[in-house]
Amino acid sequence: MSVALFALGGTIAMSGHQGGVVARLTAADLTAGVPGLAELGVPVHVHDVDAVPSADLTFARILDVVDRAAAAVRGGASGVVVTQGTDTLEETAFLADLVWPHAQPLVFTGAMRNPTLAGADGPANVLAAVEVAASPAARGLGVLVAFDDDIHAARWVRKTHSTSTATFASPNAGPIGHVVEGRVRVLAAPPPRTPLDRPDPERLATTRVALHTMTLDDDGAALDGLADTHQGLVVAAYGVGHVPSALAAPLGTLAGRIPVVLTSRTGAGPVLSHTYGAVGSETDLLRRGLLNGGLLHPYQARVLLRTLLAADADRDRIARVFAERA
Ligand code: ASP
């Protein structure tokens, strides 16, 4: 039994005081001296991929890490850990989950307190992530996030707080398990899913999906000409999927040219499909051709739409996948 660990940077790998901490610790640094790690008896093979804030991660980089993780699994690893910054972790883990085809756990983690601070959480999170990656109980659950001794399914997890070490939560479902005294306890397994096709790297580079959050008195000016520069749009609408009535027609016109996905800006709960009837309501927007993002958070919907477009999915396929996964 062994675990492969890929380090991408983030707070967990930051040190130095002059002008603020920056990512500079290696994967070997992250695992050296973690209390309890050696005692697990699970060899951890470390790989340095990047040392960047997670704001600098890209779809291409994450898909490259997924490939490397898959190679590690084919080479015999029982599971894989990815360490990175927490800022974009909900999106990177979601992206990896869309395409991860293996039963072996691929587990993302990071830290909220950098290693220079009292109570730095990186070592505990690395230990928990390795425990999850090595655990038979975590097989077949897709991509996971191990953080603060909780285990979350990548398909449901969100970063919900800018500083708390308990920032990761799954508002619609709750954590699927916990790590307690080194034991991985999975309480609710997410249903299995067929992995999506890998996006084409060249197409990915030219596929732009915009995210527009509706705000009070929104005049929609930012939507003008959007179909000329973007291949898709996610709308983070009010509540259960509503926009100002004046924007219903322009959104319908956009939906005639590019896929437009309707999500909720609230952070939890679904977009409805047939409750409200006013112009700009969910019923009206869906009738105008917008796709229902359901329970998907706007950031997740954007990752899914860009992945599908870059894998050359046509409109029907996009609608089908959103209907299945939303
Ligand atoms: N800014 C950091 C990053 O995402 C935050 C973190 O790692 O917690 O890289």
Side-chain angles (χ1 to χ4, degrees):
M1 178 178 289
S2 67
V3 165
L5 183 146
F6 295 88
L8 301 182
T11 292
I12 192 169
M14 293 196 181
S15 72
H17 288 289
Q18 304 305 324
V21 291
V22 294
R24 54 159 61 127
L25 301 185
T26 64
D29 294 332
L30 296 186
T31 49
V34 172
L37 190 58
E39 290 73 14
L40 284 184
V42 177
V44 180
H45 302 298
V46 296
H47 308 268
D48 291 301
V49 178
D50 251 335
V52 294
S54 70
D56 282 343
L57 294 176
T58 61
F59 278 54
R61 170 58 84 209
I62 295 305
L63 293 169
D64 170 51
V65 170
V66 168
D67 285 346
R68 296 199 205 189
V73 160
R74 284 194 300 274
S78 325
V80 179
V81 171
V82 176
T83 61
Q84 67 154 89
T86 61
D87 288 347
T88 59
L89 195 151
E90 63 192 297
E91 290 162 90
T92 57
F94 183 82
L95 170 60
D97 189 50
L98 292 178
V99 296
W100 181 245
H102 299 286
Q104 286 86 344
L106 173 55
V107 187
F108 281 66
T109 197
M112 293 300 287
R113 294 191 190 134
N114 73 66
T116 70
L117 298 175
D121 51 337
N125 288 339
V126 166
L127 179 64
V130 171
E131 286 169 333
V132 174
S135 172
R139 284 178 69 92
L141 302 179
V143 175
L144 301 171
V145 173
F147 215 96
D148 204 31
D149 286 342
D150 284 337
I151 306 167
H152 296 272
R155 72 180 73 170
W156 293 323
V157 77
R158 302 278 342 279
K159 182 174 181 180
T160 63
H161 196 283
S162 61
T163 59
S164 168
T165 55
T167 182
F168 286 98
S170 300
N172 288 319
I176 65 159
H178 309 277
V179 182
V180 184
E181 293 184 321
R183 181 172 163 210
V184 174
R185 307 205 59 175
V186 176
L187 305 174
R193 277 189 180 151
T194 310
L196 296 181
D197 291 340
R198 276 285 301 238
D200 171 68
E202 273 172 35
R203 228 184 135 92
L204 193 55
T206 56
T207 301
R208 291 203 181 89
V209 174
L211 169 59
H212 182 83
T213 303
M214 288 296 161
T215 49
L216 182 68
D217 207 11
D218 201 322
D219 65 2
L223 300 171
D224 290 347
L226 196 114
D228 298 326
T229 53
H230 291 73
Q231 288 70 47
L233 167 66
V234 172
V235 177
Y238 313 124
V240 295
H242 295 176
V243 305
S245 53
L247 298 190
L251 283 172
T253 305
L254 271 177
R257 295 185 58 194
I258 57 174
V260 180
V261 179
L262 184 63
T263 62
S264 171
R265 69 175 197 171
T266 59
V271 163
L272 294 182
S273 58
H274 58 268
T275 297
Y276 293 89
V279 175
S281 68
E282 82 286 356
T283 311
D284 178 45
L285 295 171
L286 297 175
R287 200 170 37 225
R288 292 175 193 266
L290 276 73
L291 299 172
N292 193 330
L295 282 165
L296 291 173
H297 184 275
Y299 305 159
Q300 297 175 327
R302 183 181 167 277
V303 170
L304 177 55
L305 183 53
R306 188 169 178 220
T307 301
L308 288 168
L309 286 165
D312 219 7
D314 62 15
R315 215 183 169 82
D316 285 351
R317 165 108 180 113
I318 291 170
R320 229 175 19 253
V321 172
F322 269 93
E324 282 161 16
R325 294 178 179 244

